[in-house]
Amino acid sequence: MPAVLEVTGLEGGYGSVQILNGIDLHVDEGEFVTIIGPNGCGKSTFLKVLFGLAAHYNGIVKHNDEDVSGWRTDRLVGRGIAYVPQVDNVFSSLSVHENLQMGGIRQSTRVLTARISQACRMFPVLEPRMNDLAASLSGGERQMLAISRALISDPSFLLLDEPTAALSPLFQQQIIASIDALRSEGISVLLVEQNARLSLARSDRGYIFAGGKVVHTGSADAILNDPNIGAYFLGVQDDS
């Protein structure tokens, strides 16, 4: 199966502050891959470096076998990559419908209308809220709107940063199930998530970050059943 994303020796961070210390990671076509790890380990920074929102220092990032290391965000969007940040992911002063329109600002009215309808089928709770301000939505509804807006651009590869953070268990389940369903539409997914068990239950593979490095990787089932997962989170490994 071809790799949608191939990352080798990635180093990056913010200004002179290096956060990532040589990340190797790949996502194959049609895969759902989850990154887990303790707070401050570089998970979110990794996605931001991939999407041109944090500094790329060194290493190679390939998308569909083309080197896109250090590319600007707009060029990456043009290649079919979309990103949903954890916070500030909707325009609070705009309506739900206006937020969705912003996701397809370069598209024809016909295409945009069709994709907004598709978003409403994916998240039916949004349809009756179309004229409401995004600021009035619940946390779960905002996350659904943020994901929908990203999908309006018709991506083939989706990056998500902790989409279930601070949501109720019901919304968490709905969000993860909807993300998982995207694979049937040909979308590959790379997800950063604190709720490891919830996300890995739907994933093909997982990576554990600690200290800006990959400290463990494997199938989702293997990670879920690994008795040493707590040690990996602490960056401590048994080399015996």
Side-chain angles (χ1 to χ4, degrees):
M1 191 176 295
V4 172
L5 178 72
E6 185 76 37
V7 178
T8 307
L10 184 63
E11 298 176 357
Y14 307 95
S16 62
V17 180
Q18 182 168 333
I19 305 296
L20 306 180
N21 300 298
I23 300 291
D24 295 332
L25 178 150
H26 74 277
V27 178
D28 290 336
E29 186 177 333
E31 273 197 312
F32 185 156
V33 176
T34 292
I35 301 170
I36 61 174
N39 289 332
C41 69
K43 304 185 303 294
S44 296
T45 300
F46 178 70
L47 294 188
K48 289 178 181 178
V49 172
L50 292 183
F51 202 61
L53 299 174
H56 169 272
Y57 298 162
N58 200 4
I60 298 173
V61 178
K62 289 187 176 182
H63 174 246
N64 291 336
D65 211 30
E66 181 171 351
D67 191 341
V68 298
S69 307
W71 277 28
R72 297 191 317 268
T73 296
D74 59 328
R75 294 184 69 192
L76 296 170
V77 171
R79 287 186 62 85
I81 303 174
Y83 166 67
V84 181
Q86 179 184 357
V87 296
D88 298 327
N89 53 18
V90 299
F91 297 103
S92 298
S93 61
L94 299 181
S95 70
V96 170
H97 189 260
E98 288 168 336
N99 267 272
L100 294 173
Q101 287 178 313
M102 292 293 290
I105 199 166
R106 297 180 179 177
Q107 297 168 355
S108 68
T109 300
R110 180 183 61 82
V111 170
L112 180 58
T113 299
R115 290 186 180 160
I116 290 176
S117 295
Q118 185 177 15
C120 290
R121 289 193 296 272
M122 182 177 181
F123 296 119
V125 69
L126 295 179
E127 189 163 17
R129 306 296 303 275
M130 279 292 161
N131 296 319
D132 295 343
L133 291 180
S136 70
L137 301 180
S138 69
E141 290 167 341
R142 285 193 187 199
Q143 199 61 256
M144 292 176 180
L145 176 58
I147 294 171
S148 296
R149 194 182 67 200
L151 294 175
I152 294 292
S153 65
D154 195 26
S156 58
F157 185 35
L158 185 61
L159 310 171
L160 299 110
D161 190 2
E162 300 198 22
T164 71
L167 301 186
S168 69
L170 177 61
F171 271 130
Q172 288 181 350
Q173 293 286 348
Q174 289 178 339
I175 293 289
I176 291 296
S178 297
I179 293 168
D180 187 23
L182 293 174
R183 293 192 288 170
S184 66
E185 300 177 23
I187 299 175
S188 306
V189 176
L190 179 60
L191 173 70
V192 162
E193 183 55 69
Q194 283 284 34
N195 192 331
R197 189 163 298 279
L198 175 68
S199 183
L200 286 170
R202 297 272 187 170
S203 300
D204 297 298
R205 294 184 300 109
Y207 288 85
I208 303 178
F209 281 20
K213 298 180 179 180
V214 173
V215 296
H216 188 57
T217 185
S219 71
D221 286 343
I223 292 176
L224 279 171
N225 295 305
D226 190 334
N228 296 315
I229 190 169
Y232 290 125
F233 264 72
L234 296 173
V236 178
Q237 300 164 58
D238 184 0
D239 295 324
S240 61

Coordinates of all heavy atoms in Angstrom, one line a residue, residues 100-138:
L100 N -18.7 27.3 7.1 CA -18.6 26.3 6.0 C -18.2 26.9 4.7 O -17.4 26.3 3.9 CB -19.9 25.5 5.9 CG -20.2 24.6 7.2 CD1 -21.6 24.0 7.0 CD2 -19.1 23.5 7.4
Q101 N -18.8 28.0 4.4 CA -18.4 28.7 3.2 C -16.9 29.1 3.1 O -16.3 29.0 2.1 CB -19.3 30.0 3.0 CG -20.7 29.7 2.6 CD -21.5 31.0 2.5 OE1 -21.4 31.9 3.4 NE2 -22.3 31.1 1.5
M102 N -16.4 29.5 4.3 CA -15.0 29.8 4.3 C -14.1 28.6 3.9 O -13.0 28.8 3.4 CB -14.6 30.3 5.7 CG -15.2 31.6 6.1 SD -14.6 33.0 5.1 CE -12.9 33.1 5.7
G103 N -14.6 27.4 4.2 CA -13.8 26.2 3.9 C -13.7 26.0 2.4 O -12.9 25.3 1.9
G104 N -14.7 26.6 1.6 CA -14.7 26.3 0.2 C -14.7 27.6 -0.6 O -15.4 27.8 -1.6
I105 N -13.9 28.6 -0.1 CA -14.0 29.9 -0.7 C -13.6 30.0 -2.1 O -13.9 30.9 -2.9 CB -13.1 30.9 0.2 CG1 -13.4 32.3 0.0 CG2 -11.6 30.6 0.0 CD1 -12.9 33.3 1.0
R106 N -12.8 29.0 -2.6 CA -12.4 29.0 -4.0 C -13.2 28.1 -4.9 O -12.9 27.9 -6.1 CB -10.9 28.5 -4.1 CG -9.9 29.4 -3.3 CD -8.5 28.8 -3.5 NE -7.5 29.7 -2.8 CZ -6.2 29.4 -2.7 NH1 -5.8 28.3 -3.2 NH2 -5.4 30.2 -2.0
Q107 N -14.3 27.6 -4.3 CA -15.1 26.6 -5.1 C -16.3 27.3 -5.7 O -16.8 28.3 -5.2 CB -15.5 25.4 -4.2 CG -14.3 24.6 -3.7 CD -14.7 23.7 -2.6 OE1 -15.8 23.7 -2.1 NE2 -13.8 22.9 -2.2
S108 N -16.9 26.7 -6.7 CA -18.1 27.2 -7.3 C -19.3 27.0 -6.4 O -19.2 26.2 -5.4 CB -18.4 26.4 -8.6 OG -18.8 25.1 -8.3
T109 N -20.3 27.8 -6.6 CA -21.5 27.7 -5.7 C -22.1 26.4 -5.7 O -22.5 25.8 -4.7 CB -22.5 28.8 -6.2 OG1 -21.9 30.1 -6.1 CG2 -23.8 28.7 -5.3
R110 N -22.1 25.7 -6.9 CA -22.7 24.4 -7.0 C -21.9 23.4 -6.2 O -22.5 22.6 -5.4 CB -22.7 23.9 -8.5 CG -23.3 22.6 -8.7 CD -23.3 22.2 -10.2 NE -21.9 22.1 -10.6 CZ -21.1 21.1 -10.4 NH1 -21.5 20.0 -9.7 NH2 -19.8 21.1 -10.9
V111 N -20.6 23.4 -6.3 CA -19.8 22.4 -5.6 C -19.9 22.7 -4.1 O -20.0 21.8 -3.2 CB -18.3 22.5 -6.0 CG1 -17.4 21.7 -5.1 CG2 -18.2 22.0 -7.5
L112 N -19.8 24.0 -3.7 CA -19.9 24.3 -2.3 C -21.2 23.9 -1.6 O -21.2 23.4 -0.5 CB -19.7 25.8 -2.1 CG -19.7 26.4 -0.7 CD1 -18.6 25.7 0.2 CD2 -19.5 27.9 -0.7
T113 N -22.3 24.1 -2.4 CA -23.6 23.7 -1.8 C -23.7 22.2 -1.6 O -24.2 21.8 -0.6 CB -24.7 24.2 -2.8 OG1 -24.7 25.6 -2.9 CG2 -26.1 23.7 -2.3
A114 N -23.1 21.5 -2.6 CA -23.1 20.0 -2.4 C -22.3 19.6 -1.3 O -22.7 18.6 -0.5 CB -22.6 19.4 -3.7
R115 N -21.2 20.2 -1.0 CA -20.3 19.8 0.1 C -20.9 20.2 1.4 O -20.7 19.5 2.4 CB -18.9 20.3 -0.2 CG -18.2 19.6 -1.3 CD -16.8 20.0 -1.5 NE -16.3 19.2 -2.7 CZ -15.2 19.6 -3.3 NH1 -14.5 20.6 -3.0 NH2 -14.8 18.8 -4.3
I116 N -21.6 21.3 1.5 CA -22.2 21.7 2.7 C -23.3 20.7 3.0 O -23.5 20.3 4.2 CB -22.8 23.1 2.6 CG1 -21.6 24.1 2.6 CG2 -23.7 23.4 3.8 CD1 -22.0 25.6 2.5
S117 N -24.1 20.3 2.0 CA -25.1 19.2 2.2 C -24.5 17.9 2.7 O -25.0 17.3 3.6 CB -25.9 19.0 0.9 OG -26.6 20.1 0.5
Q118 N -23.3 17.6 2.2 CA -22.6 16.4 2.6 C -22.2 16.5 4.1 O -22.3 15.5 4.9 CB -21.4 16.1 1.7 CG -20.7 14.8 2.0 CD -19.5 14.6 1.1 OE1 -19.1 15.5 0.4 NE2 -19.0 13.4 1.0
A119 N -21.7 17.7 4.5 CA -21.4 17.9 5.9 C -22.5 17.7 6.8 O -22.4 17.2 7.9 CB -20.8 19.3 6.0
C120 N -23.7 18.2 6.4 CA -24.9 18.1 7.2 C -25.3 16.6 7.3 O -25.9 16.2 8.4 CB -26.0 18.9 6.6 SG -25.8 20.7 6.8
R121 N -25.1 15.8 6.3 CA -25.4 14.4 6.4 C -24.4 13.7 7.4 O -24.8 12.8 8.1 CB -25.3 13.7 5.1 CG -26.4 14.1 4.1 CD -26.5 13.2 2.9 NE -25.3 13.3 2.1 CZ -25.1 14.2 1.1 NH1 -26.1 15.0 0.8 NH2 -24.0 14.2 0.4
M122 N -23.2 14.2 7.4 CA -22.2 13.6 8.3 C -22.5 14.0 9.8 O -22.4 13.2 10.7 CB -20.8 14.1 7.9 CG -19.7 13.5 8.8 SD -18.1 14.0 8.2 CE -17.0 13.2 9.3
F123 N -22.8 15.3 10.0 CA -23.2 15.8 11.3 C -24.5 16.5 11.2 O -24.6 17.7 11.1 CB -22.1 16.8 11.7 CG -20.7 16.2 11.9 CD1 -19.7 16.7 11.1 CD2 -20.5 15.2 12.8 CE1 -18.4 16.2 11.3 CE2 -19.2 14.7 13.0 CZ -18.2 15.2 12.2
P124 N -25.6 15.7 11.4 CA -27.0 16.3 11.2 C -27.3 17.4 12.2 O -28.1 18.2 11.9 CB -27.9 15.0 11.5 CG -27.0 13.9 11.2 CD -25.6 14.2 11.6
V125 N -26.6 17.4 13.3 CA -26.8 18.4 14.3 C -26.5 19.8 13.8 O -27.1 20.8 14.3 CB -26.0 18.2 15.6 CG1 -24.5 18.4 15.4 CG2 -26.5 19.0 16.8
L126 N -25.7 20.0 12.8 CA -25.4 21.3 12.2 C -26.5 21.9 11.4 O -26.6 23.1 11.3 CB -24.1 21.2 11.4 CG -22.8 20.8 12.1 CD1 -21.6 20.7 11.1 CD2 -22.5 21.8 13.3
E127 N -27.3 21.1 10.8 CA -28.3 21.6 9.8 C -29.2 22.6 10.4 O -29.4 23.7 9.8 CB -29.0 20.5 9.1 CG -29.9 20.9 7.9 CD -30.3 19.8 7.0 OE1 -30.2 18.6 7.5 OE2 -30.7 20.1 5.9
P128 N -29.8 22.3 11.5 CA -30.8 23.4 12.1 C -30.0 24.6 12.7 O -30.7 25.5 13.1 CB -31.5 22.6 13.2 CG -30.6 21.5 13.6 CD -29.9 21.1 12.3
R129 N -28.7 24.5 12.8 CA -27.9 25.6 13.4 C -27.3 26.5 12.3 O -26.4 27.4 12.7 CB -26.9 25.0 14.3 CG -27.3 24.1 15.4 CD -28.3 24.7 16.4 NE -27.7 25.9 17.1 CZ -26.9 25.8 18.2 NH1 -26.7 24.6 18.7 NH2 -26.5 26.9 18.7
M130 N -27.6 26.3 11.1 CA -26.9 27.0 10.0 C -26.8 28.5 10.2 O -25.8 29.2 9.8 CB -27.5 26.7 8.6 CG -27.1 25.3 8.1 SD -25.4 25.4 7.6 CE -25.0 23.6 7.6
N131 N -27.8 29.1 10.7 CA -27.9 30.6 10.8 C -27.4 31.1 12.2 O -27.4 32.3 12.4 CB -29.3 31.1 10.5 CG -29.7 30.9 9.1 OD1 -28.9 31.0 8.2 ND2 -30.9 30.5 8.9
D132 N -27.1 30.1 13.1 CA -26.6 30.5 14.4 C -25.1 30.8 14.4 O -24.3 30.3 13.6 CB -26.8 29.4 15.4 CG -28.3 29.1 15.6 OD1 -29.1 29.9 15.2 OD2 -28.6 28.0 16.1
L133 N -24.7 31.7 15.2 CA -23.3 32.0 15.4 C -22.5 30.8 15.9 O -23.0 30.1 16.8 CB -23.0 33.2 16.3 CG -23.5 34.6 15.8 CD1 -23.2 35.6 16.9 CD2 -22.8 35.0 14.5
A134 N -21.3 30.6 15.4 CA -20.5 29.5 15.9 C -20.2 29.6 17.3 O -20.1 28.6 18.0 CB -19.2 29.4 15.1
A135 N -20.2 30.9 17.9 CA -20.0 31.1 19.3 C -21.0 30.4 20.2 O -20.8 30.2 21.3 CB -19.9 32.6 19.6
S136 N -22.2 30.2 19.6 CA -23.3 29.7 20.4 C -23.3 28.2 20.4 O -24.1 27.6 21.1 CB -24.7 30.2 19.8 OG -24.9 29.5 18.5
L137 N -22.4 27.5 19.7 CA -22.4 26.1 19.6 C -21.8 25.5 20.9 O -20.9 26.1 21.5 CB -21.6 25.6 18.4 CG -22.1 26.0 17.0 CD1 -21.2 25.4 16.0 CD2 -23.6 25.6 16.8
S138 N -22.1 24.3 21.2 CA -21.5 23.5 22.3 C -20.1 23.1 21.8 O -19.7 23.2 20.6 CB -22.3 22.3 22.7 OG -22.2 21.3 21.6

